[in-house]
Amino acid sequence: MKKVIIAALSVLMLSAFITNAPVKYSVDAASSTLTWKASKVTGSHTGNVSVSEGNLDYADGELKGGEFTIDMTSITCTDIEDAETNGKLIGHLKSADFFSVADNATSTFKITKVEKIKKNEFKVTGNLTIKGITNSLSFPATVKEKNGNVEAAATIKVDRTKYDIKYGSGSFFDGLGDKMIYDEFELDLKLVAKSS
């Protein structure tokens, strides 16, 4: 009888282990979106940048980990209609004053910790790398399984000065007046990931 009980417990433990093993879902770049918003004293600009690849680890209704890569060469601006002015802004964003895209074609985010807040809601902590500089940041995220996919959504606030992007920053330069650009910019992330 004792052997039967031990065997039964072993089976239950093995089943629990199998059930809890995270499933790796591959990010569908075509279905995922990443929009940005940067503000200055006189207004703001918005645009898009593409997520090129990534994955989310998910099990038993919970996010377990993951990472994704951002294609910095894909930066666009959506609020400036004049093509010449739009092009000048994008060129400036890609220059050494901002993201140095020629030398840093991608940025990455890798999850290091996930804390469940309640069903489908989590506090995500991870390492964001921009221009080869890595900093840890945390943000709330909504993650759920839908139609066999995992969908994640989050609004992420990033202090650009931590990545050596100081152009127009009132934290480093005096007398900028209405040319000052705020240090924080916002990323609105929506990932769709499919089971591999």
Side-chain angles (χ1 to χ4, degrees):
M1 183 67 180
K2 187 176 181 181
K3 289 182 179 179
V4 172
I5 292 172
I6 292 173
L9 286 172
S10 298
V11 170
L12 285 172
M13 289 174 67
L14 181 60
S15 297
F17 176 78
I18 293 172
T19 300
N20 291 326
V23 176
K24 193 174 292 292
Y25 289 76
S26 297
V27 170
D28 181 4
S31 302
S32 301
T33 60
L34 183 58
T35 61
W36 60 266
K37 180 179 181 180
S39 299
K40 52 186 179 178
V41 174
T42 56
S44 63
H45 290 300
T46 57
N48 300 312
V49 60
S50 299
V51 174
S52 58
E53 61 181 357
N55 62 76
L56 295 175
D57 300 331
Y58 192 82
D60 300 331
E62 294 188 18
L63 178 67
K64 301 296 183 179
E67 58 188 317
F68 60 88
T69 300
I70 304 166
D71 177 9
M72 300 304 293
T73 68
S74 70
I75 296 174
T76 64
C77 173
T78 54
D79 68 287
I80 299 177
E81 294 183 2
D82 180 73
E84 184 178 354
T85 305
N86 190 305
K88 285 181 178 178
L89 175 62
I90 294 304
H92 198 190
L93 290 176
K94 290 182 177 181
S95 76
D97 281 341
F98 287 93
F99 296 104
S100 300
V101 172
D103 297 319
N104 301 276
T106 61
S107 295
T108 60
F109 181 77
K110 185 171 185 178
I111 296 172
T112 56
K113 184 179 180 181
V114 179
E115 300 171 74
K116 185 176 181 178
I117 299 172
K118 58 182 180 180
K119 184 178 179 181
N120 298 334
E121 294 186 18
F122 304 87
K123 178 183 178 182
V124 176
T125 300
N127 292 326
L128 177 63
T129 301
I130 299 174
K131 293 176 65 175
I133 301 169
T134 302
N135 288 287
S136 179
L137 54 77
S138 299
F139 53 85
T142 300
V143 186
K144 60 184 178 181
E145 192 170 10
K146 184 177 179 182
N147 299 325
N149 299 329
V150 171
E151 298 184 1
T155 298
I156 308 167
K157 293 185 178 181
V158 181
D159 181 348
R160 64 189 176 93
T161 64
K162 291 183 176 180
Y163 301 90
D164 195 31
I165 305 172
K166 300 173 182 176
Y167 182 87
S169 169
S171 300
F172 292 88
F173 303 101
D174 296 325
L176 293 171
D178 61 7
K179 295 185 182 299
M180 187 183 77
I181 303 169
Y182 295 117
D183 291 346
E184 272 194 345
F185 67 92
E186 192 172 279
L187 296 173
D188 187 8
L189 174 69
K190 293 181 182 178
L191 294 178
V192 177
K194 300 181 178 182
S195 180
S196 303

